[in-house]
């Protein structure tokens, strides 16, 4: 008789992090589910009664256990999964401690029915309070069913320590959901107090997310997929506008094992950079695959914490993966149609606007324009001045009263109907840029856009120390508070990188004899104080590095403002620069830079059916 399950020798058992395996019903659900997955189950059913305190049952169609091994499975440190120390370094199964079944049996009444494929007859084992009480033949189905009744019946202290049934149920649900996400190819049914919570067919991760969290979520996620020889990162991350105020629904799986890891979570959030408002958290389900040798899962018995051989390399790669996923996808906030009138209520669309899922690669903004509205070649436009440039450059739609970008401000009187009467680009109220695009309209906030451009330039200049200085003919004397001068002193290397040429005199005087080229004429006198004030105000100060904080306050102050008129060339230049940035959708403060309104939405607003 060959045993697959062996009792680990003492010297090996003692190397495995020991601890309480069974803390609550959810821990039992987790251990049993993991055993089923280790046994290659393709279909698993989880049944709870009274949130698991009366009954937890897990039924699988996996490998099953031979009659000879069935009893051994309940001995402490008995496992079929590792035999030697070397195996500990290369764990590919969930289990390896051989502790779960014995620990569960110690605090509950357990019945296991199991049969291996090919065996004529199965086995039934019951165990309770540390001993196997009965073993018999049984005509069980292929696979294994484990019933755990009256958890903590013999440890009233722990039973009383359990939280409310709804809390315990939710812990169990979380465990089942994690398996559902990580093992979409396994059919999974979850029943609680005779109610079917869900029954999931084999499918893809995305299907599972849609079934468990709703179609809306599955429309608001984008795929992540990056790989290097050491690590693979796949999965989904939520679009920034789907973020929540609480840190829920964030999953990290390492080799399909759910883990908690602050460093990786941080890397994901960091990947969003300023795409998220302060205090909001994105959805994510990230899968990391790594050679098991490069990671230690043996840190804690619940195995939710792991140690990486090179944690900072993992951090950087996850950050890179998230950034490039976000950069690849269209994240323009889409204006939703919310009808106020009850009459329109019926036509209100329940599914997300199609534009939400339309992926738009960021590139040249000219590619976004309606084909017939693409700017004509430079020769034909011949910009000789603001309004002339406009009349040859700009399409004026018959329906839309044009508000023209011209030198020196909006001047409606100088706008004439051009021959080619189609609308192209315009500046709206010296604040927004309006662009007709392929399937609708793009609105750009000029200040936020410029802020993003300057911010990214500033960050690059910090790296390369490449700020371009505009020498001032007459150096400017800034009288600042002693505290501000101290701050200038501290930030001086970064200010120099930006293009400031600064000399500090005494405790309260700073002389500027050069400013960055982005600083507009007339702004030289006040820019330094403005930056310092904003720098001090920034609420994110604790989490941001000084230079990041400086880049934010500088970009905000140096950028064009709402109310600044721009001529067409300036607008085009701004859009060119904006679309060359890494993240053209949000300003460094997390506000949107542009909003897309699709034709569909306009049609809906106007009650059009086609
Ligand atoms: P571990 O999973 O760490 O090996 P457990 O106490 O959870 O320890 O299980 C002991 C052994 O019982 C496992 O190694 C495995 O051989 C067997 N076993 C437990 N559950 C199942 C199952 N659902 N299907 C097949 N074998 C199982
Ligand atoms: Mg196990």
């Amino acid at each position: 008789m060959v045993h697959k399950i062996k009792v680990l020798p003492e010297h090996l058992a003692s190397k495995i992090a020991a601890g309480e395996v069974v803390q609550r019903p959810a821990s039992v659900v987790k251990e049993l589910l993991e055993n089923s997955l280790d046994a290659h189950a393709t279909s698993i059913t989880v049944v709870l009664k009274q949130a698991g305190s009366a009954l937890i049952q897990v039924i699988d169609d996996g490998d099953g256990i031979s009659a000879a091994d069935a009893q051994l499975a309940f001995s402490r440190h008995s496992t079929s999964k590792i035999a030697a120390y070397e195996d500990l370094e290369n764990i590919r199964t969930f289990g390896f401690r051989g502790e779960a079944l014995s620990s569960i049996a110690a605090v509950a009444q357990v019945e296991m029915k199991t049969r291996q494929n090919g065996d004529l007859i199965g086995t039934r084992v019951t165990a309770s309070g540390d001993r196997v009480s009965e073993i018999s033949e049984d005509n069980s189905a292929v696979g294994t069913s484990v019933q755990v009744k009256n958890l903590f019946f013999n440890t009233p202290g722990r039973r009383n320590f359990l939280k409310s049934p709804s809390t315990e149920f939710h812990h169990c649900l979380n465990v089942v959901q994690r398996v559902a996400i990580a093992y979409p190819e396994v059919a999974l049914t979850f029943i609680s107090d005779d109610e079917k919570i869900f029954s999931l067919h084999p499918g893809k991760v995305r299907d599972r997310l849609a079934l468990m969290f709703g179609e809306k979520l599955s429309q608001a996620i984008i795929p992540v997929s990056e790989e290097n020889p050491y690590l693979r990162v796949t999965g989904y991350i939520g679009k920034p506008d789907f973020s929540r105020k609480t840190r829920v629904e964030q999953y990290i799986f390492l080799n399909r094992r759910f883990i908690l890891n602050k460093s990786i979570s941080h890397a994901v959030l960091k990947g969003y950079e300023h795409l998220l408002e302060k205090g909001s958290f994105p959805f994510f389900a990230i899968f990391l695959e790594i050679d098991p040798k490069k990671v230690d899962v043996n840190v804690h018995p619940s195995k939710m914490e792991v140690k990486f051989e090179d944690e900072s390399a993992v951090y950087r790669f996850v950050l890179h993966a998230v950034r490039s996923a976000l950069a690849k996808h269209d994240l323009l906030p889409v204006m939703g149609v919310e009808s106020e009138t009850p009459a329109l209520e019926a036509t209100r669309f329940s599914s997300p606007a199609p534009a939400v899922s339309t992926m738009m690669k960021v590139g040249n903004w000219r590619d976004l324009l309606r084909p017939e509205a693409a700017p004509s070649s430079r020769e034909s436009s011949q910009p000789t001045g603001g309004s002339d440039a406009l009349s040859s450059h700009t399409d004026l739609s018959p329906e839309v009263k044009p508000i023209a970008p011209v030198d020196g401000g909006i001047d409606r009187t100088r706008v004439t109907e051009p021959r080619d009467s189609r609308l192209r680009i315009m500046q709206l109220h010296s604040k927004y840029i309006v662009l007709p695009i392929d399937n609708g309209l793009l609105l750009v906030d000029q200040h936020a856009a410029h802020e993003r451009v300057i911010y990214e330039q500033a960050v690059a200049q910090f790296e390369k120390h490449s700020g371009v200085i505009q020498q001032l003919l007459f150096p400017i004397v800034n009288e600042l508070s002693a505290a501000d001068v101290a701050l200038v002193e501290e930030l001086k290397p970064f200010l120099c990188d930006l293009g400031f040429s600064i000399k500090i005199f005494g405790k309260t005087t700073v002389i500027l004899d050069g400013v960055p080229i982005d600083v507009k004429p007339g702004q030289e006198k006040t820019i330094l104080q403005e930056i310092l004030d904003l720098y001090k105000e920034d609420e994110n100060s604790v989490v941001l590095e000084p230079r990041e904080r400086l880049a934010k306050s500088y970009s905000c102050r140096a950028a064009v403002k709402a109310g600044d008129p721009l001529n067409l060339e300036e607008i085009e230049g701004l859009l060119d620069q904006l679309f060359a940035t890494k993240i053209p959708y949000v300003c460094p403060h997390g506000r949107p830079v542009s909003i897309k309104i699709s034709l569909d939405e306009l049609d809906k607003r106007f009650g059009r059916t086609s």
Side-chain angles (χ1 to χ4, degrees), residues 18 24 73 125 154 195 237 308 403 428 439 550 560 586 599 609:
R24 59 188 346 152
V125 188
N154 53 356
E195 189 194 338
I237 56 174
F308 294 99
I403 301 165
L428 192 64
N439 57 354
L550 177 63
V560 295
V586 280
L599 274 186
T609 46

Side-chain angles (χ1 to χ4, degrees), residues 448-466:
H450 200 205
E451 215 179 356
R452 167 51 67 183
V453 168
I454 296 180
Y455 175 82
E456 290 198 9
Q457 274 170 6
V459 170
Q461 283 164 357
F462 291 147
E463 296 298 320
K464 297 191 221 117
H465 311 294
S466 62

Side-chain angles (χ1 to χ4, degrees), residues 130-152:
D130 248 350
R131 62 194 175 86
V132 174
S133 38
E134 221 182 293
I135 178 155
S136 58
E137 289 193 338
D138 187 88
N139 68 27
S140 26
V142 169
T144 304
S145 155
V146 179
Q147 271 196 358
V148 177
K149 285 186 181 158
N150 302 321
L151 185 64
F152 301 138

Side-chain angles (χ1 to χ4, degrees), residues 420-595:
D420 168 24
S421 68
R422 283 241 148 97
L423 179 81
R424 274 191 198 145
I425 307 162
M426 65 179 200
Q427 194 192 25
L428 192 64
H429 294 285
S430 300
K431 216 186 217 179
Y432 298 110
I433 297 163
V434 185
L435 272 164
I437 58 168
D438 218 8
N439 57 354
L441 197 64
L442 189 69
L443 295 168
V444 179
D445 179 322
Q446 64 185 41
H447 170 69
H450 200 205
E451 215 179 356
R452 167 51 67 183
V453 168
I454 296 180
Y455 175 82
E456 290 198 9
Q457 274 170 6
V459 170
Q461 283 164 357
F462 291 147
E463 296 298 320
K464 297 191 221 117
H465 311 294
S466 62
V468 182
I469 303 177
Q470 206 183 154
Q471 287 296 337
L472 295 173
L473 223 47
F474 305 103
I476 289 164
V477 181
N478 287 269
E479 289 297 336
L480 305 175
S481 71
D484 282 352
V485 173
L487 187 57
V488 171
E489 184 117 47
E490 181 194 328
L491 297 174
K492 201 175 163 198
F494 303 128
L495 286 163
C496 291
D497 284 345
L498 291 176
F500 283 99
S501 172
I502 292 178
K503 291 193 181 74
I504 298 174
F505 283 93
K507 293 235 172 300
T508 56
T509 310
V510 171
I511 294 186
L512 275 186
D513 51 21
V515 294
I517 40 162
D518 282 314
V519 172
K520 290 180 287 290
Q523 213 191 352
E524 304 90 344
K525 286 198 173 60
T526 49
I527 181 88
L528 188 63
Q529 184 70 60
E530 286 176 18
I531 294 174
L532 294 175
D533 290 345
L534 203 61
Y535 182 93
K536 288 179 288 184
E537 261 171 39
D538 190 349
E539 299 160 28
N540 286 317
S541 52
V542 265
V543 294
L544 291 180
E545 288 176 42
R547 58 181 199 169
E548 246 180 285
R549 227 170 122 188
L550 177 63
K552 271 176 76 176
S553 34
Y554 168 64
S555 61
C556 181
R557 284 301 168 242
V560 295
K561 307 247 163 347
D564 289 347
L566 301 175
N567 66 32
L568 194 65
E569 269 175 299
E570 287 169 330
I571 292 178
E572 289 193 7
L574 176 57
L575 292 174
D576 282 339
Q577 289 180 309
L578 173 67
F579 281 84
T581 61
K582 287 199 215 116
I583 303 176
Y585 337 99
V586 280
C587 79
H589 299 96
R591 281 197 304 109
V593 164
S594 40
I595 288 175

